[in-house]
Amino acid sequence: MLKKLLKILFKSSFSFKNLGKKEVILFDCDNTKYIKKFFKKENTFTLSVRLNRIKVIYLNKKVVLFILKNLFNNKLKTNYLLSLIEQIKPKLLITHIDNSQDFYLVAKSIHKKISCLAIQQAHRADLNTNPYKEIKNIFIPNLFCFSDYDKILFRNNKVNVSKFYSTGSLNLAYAFNYLKKNKIKKQQIYDICLVSEPHLNVQDEFNNIKNFADTCGLISIYTHRLCIEENLKLIFVGESVKNTLSGKREIQFYDKYLGKNKFNISQQAKSTFPSYQRIYQSKLTIGHVSTMLREAIGLKKKVLYCNFSGSEMIKSPLSGIAEIKKPSYKEFKKKVLKILSLSDKKYFDSLRIEYDKIMLPPSETFKNISDKIKKFQ
């Protein structure tokens, strides 16, 4: 920890001025691109919380006194963040990183004085896999979630969220807006869109599912084999950008499973929402636990959850026609061909739940979020 602190001190500049008041604090600079558009720039302050993203260290008298006063109440980092918030005196603290440990700690201290709001960024399947000792640390006073499904998911796992507001996926809303603006049609160019889910970090949220990586690999093997056998047009969408370190690692991951076959992962810049475009133009989207599957449902596109891990901790939001659990190529092929034979209407009619209970339509998200944010200001 001392080494990290020294590194931050060395690379950062210092400001000894007192901070002025702002109505809104955007918590965590790593993902403010979309939420900042709901506020006037002059009314917001972006608070960097990740050690590798802090560029300016504020070290005025008020900061020092606050840290000394609360030295034994919180960790140094939490005290530092709280001291800045106390100076800025916002009406609202908002983040688009709903799994931020820093947000949980800060919100627990200030939620009675300041409105604290998190906007859900991803499907939280990890709530089913993480031990309770981690889940009990989650503290979200107000959560803008994808749909009513998340209320059930969080409550079943006894997550400390005070209030839920179903608003939809903000990422999906911006993608949908891009599709409309650029007149990208909802046509069926591809038969299958396979969502890449490389398991690259043994310390991520699924590290206690021993065969998680092999499950993702098996899904890719089955999908490629089926497309070759049935002459189906496949698009394999990557989660990383080409020629980046993560992009190269993603290819290496799938090379382990598909190396004997020629495979191509589409790795494009995120600015044009390539994955959403491919889903929008495919008959069926296949994956494991990716958020993209729920977002595909929001676009009213057919999906198939391949829950091959065998773990009771991996739970799909949909069952029936939309899920397969048995790791059998024969059953996989039968299920996929059955879904492809169904019209979109018949597919959604066969689901045991209304699609908007899984993901609210993206056409409603901006208004949902904008209207609800006003109530916190």
Side-chain angles (χ1 to χ4, degrees), residues 16 53 87 112 146 157 159 173 209 307 324 352-353:
F16 302 99
R53 298 297 299 275
Q87 284 186 61
K112 292 182 179 180
F146 289 165
N157 286 284
V159 182
I209 307 297
N307 191 0
I324 181 171
R352 299 174 184 176
I353 186 172

Side-chain angles (χ1 to χ4, degrees), residues 205-306:
E205 61 267 33
F206 299 108
N207 66 330
N208 52 353
I209 307 297
K210 294 181 180 180
N211 63 340
F212 189 88
D214 287 339
T215 295
C216 295
L218 186 61
I219 294 168
S220 70
I221 292 171
Y222 282 3
T223 304
H224 278 79
R225 178 181 171 183
L226 176 61
C227 289
I228 292 170
E229 289 181 358
E230 298 296 321
N231 195 28
L232 300 174
K233 192 167 184 181
L234 170 68
I235 181 69
F236 191 6
V237 294
E239 67 174 23
S240 302
V241 179
K242 188 176 182 179
N243 293 328
T244 61
L245 177 60
S246 60
K248 292 175 182 177
R249 291 181 66 198
E250 182 176 30
I251 292 173
Q252 289 171 356
F253 174 85
Y254 282 105
D255 188 60
K256 176 182 176 181
Y257 301 96
L258 299 170
K260 294 180 181 179
N261 304 310
K262 290 183 179 179
F263 72 98
N264 179 55
I265 301 179
S266 177
Q267 297 175 320
Q268 295 179 268
K270 305 301 181 183
S271 57
T272 59
F273 302 96
S275 296
Y276 295 96
Q277 287 191 52
R278 305 300 181 249
I279 287 173
Y280 202 55
Q281 296 179 329
S282 299
K283 295 178 182 178
L284 169 65
T285 300
I286 294 176
H288 187 200
V289 296
S290 172
T291 303
M292 300 294 296
L293 296 172
R294 282 187 68 183
E295 291 176 319
I297 289 290
L299 292 171
K300 287 210 78 173
K301 302 294 294 185
K302 294 182 286 187
V303 305
L304 177 61
Y305 281 88
C306 299

Side-chain angles (χ1 to χ4, degrees), residues 68-304:
L68 291 175
K69 183 180 178 181
N70 297 278
L71 193 60
F72 301 105
N73 296 330
N74 303 296
K75 294 180 180 179
L76 176 61
K77 182 182 179 183
T78 304
N79 276 333
Y80 172 73
L81 296 174
L82 288 171
S83 71
L84 300 184
I85 294 169
E86 185 179 76
Q87 284 186 61
I88 298 168
K89 299 187 184 304
K91 294 179 180 178
L92 173 64
L93 182 80
I94 184 171
T95 185
H96 198 190
I97 308 292
D98 59 298
N99 61 344
S100 167
Q101 298 295 323
D102 290 313
F103 178 82
Y104 303 154
L105 292 170
V106 166
K108 194 173 291 186
S109 295
I110 66 170
H111 73 281
K112 292 182 179 180
K113 297 179 180 179
I114 299 169
S115 295
C116 297
L117 167 63
I119 297 179
Q120 185 175 355
Q121 183 187 23
H123 174 55
R124 295 302 168 202
D126 56 308
L127 294 179
N128 293 316
T129 64
N130 288 345
Y132 183 68
K133 66 180 180 180
E134 293 182 17
I135 290 177
K136 70 179 183 179
N137 294 326
I138 299 174
F139 185 88
I140 305 177
N142 301 283
L143 178 63
F144 284 10
C145 55
F146 289 165
S147 69
D148 290 346
Y149 173 83
D150 301 286
K151 298 178 184 179
I152 299 170
L153 176 65
F154 277 72
R155 285 171 178 163
N156 284 348
N157 286 284
K158 299 179 181 180
V159 182
N160 194 348
V161 177
S162 299
K163 293 183 180 179
F164 294 89
Y165 304 86
S166 295
T167 57
S169 165
L170 188 55
N171 290 344
L172 176 61
Y174 275 99
F176 183 69
N177 191 52
Y178 179 90
L179 296 174
K180 285 176 53 182
K181 185 177 179 180
N182 290 275
K183 298 179 180 179
I184 297 171
K185 296 181 180 180
K186 189 180 181 181
Q187 53 190 329
Q188 297 180 338
I189 297 175
Y190 309 99
D191 293 299
I192 294 175
C193 175
L194 174 61
V195 178
S196 172
E197 299 177 72
H199 189 63
L200 303 174
N201 186 352
V202 294
Q203 304 207 349
D204 73 8
E205 61 267 33
F206 299 108
N207 66 330
N208 52 353
I209 307 297
K210 294 181 180 180
N211 63 340
F212 189 88
D214 287 339
T215 295
C216 295
L218 186 61
I219 294 168
S220 70
I221 292 171
Y222 282 3
T223 304
H224 278 79
R225 178 181 171 183
L226 176 61
C227 289
I228 292 170
E229 289 181 358
E230 298 296 321
N231 195 28
L232 300 174
K233 192 167 184 181
L234 170 68
I235 181 69
F236 191 6
V237 294
E239 67 174 23
S240 302
V241 179
K242 188 176 182 179
N243 293 328
T244 61
L245 177 60
S246 60
K248 292 175 182 177
R249 291 181 66 198
E250 182 176 30
I251 292 173
Q252 289 171 356
F253 174 85
Y254 282 105
D255 188 60
K256 176 182 176 181
Y257 301 96
L258 299 170
K260 294 180 181 179
N261 304 310
K262 290 183 179 179
F263 72 98
N264 179 55
I265 301 179
S266 177
Q267 297 175 320
Q268 295 179 268
K270 305 301 181 183
S271 57
T272 59
F273 302 96
S275 296
Y276 295 96
Q277 287 191 52
R278 305 300 181 249
I279 287 173
Y280 202 55
Q281 296 179 329
S282 299
K283 295 178 182 178
L284 169 65
T285 300
I286 294 176
H288 187 200
V289 296
S290 172
T291 303
M292 300 294 296
L293 296 172
R294 282 187 68 183
E295 291 176 319
I297 289 290
L299 292 171
K300 287 210 78 173
K301 302 294 294 185
K302 294 182 286 187
V303 305
L304 177 61

Side-chain angles (χ1 to χ4, degrees), residues 55-71:
K55 296 179 180 179
V56 179
I57 295 176
Y58 299 94
L59 200 60
N60 54 55
K61 183 179 178 180
K62 291 182 178 179
V63 170
V64 175
L65 290 175
F66 184 95
I67 291 175
L68 291 175
K69 183 180 178 181
N70 297 278
L71 193 60

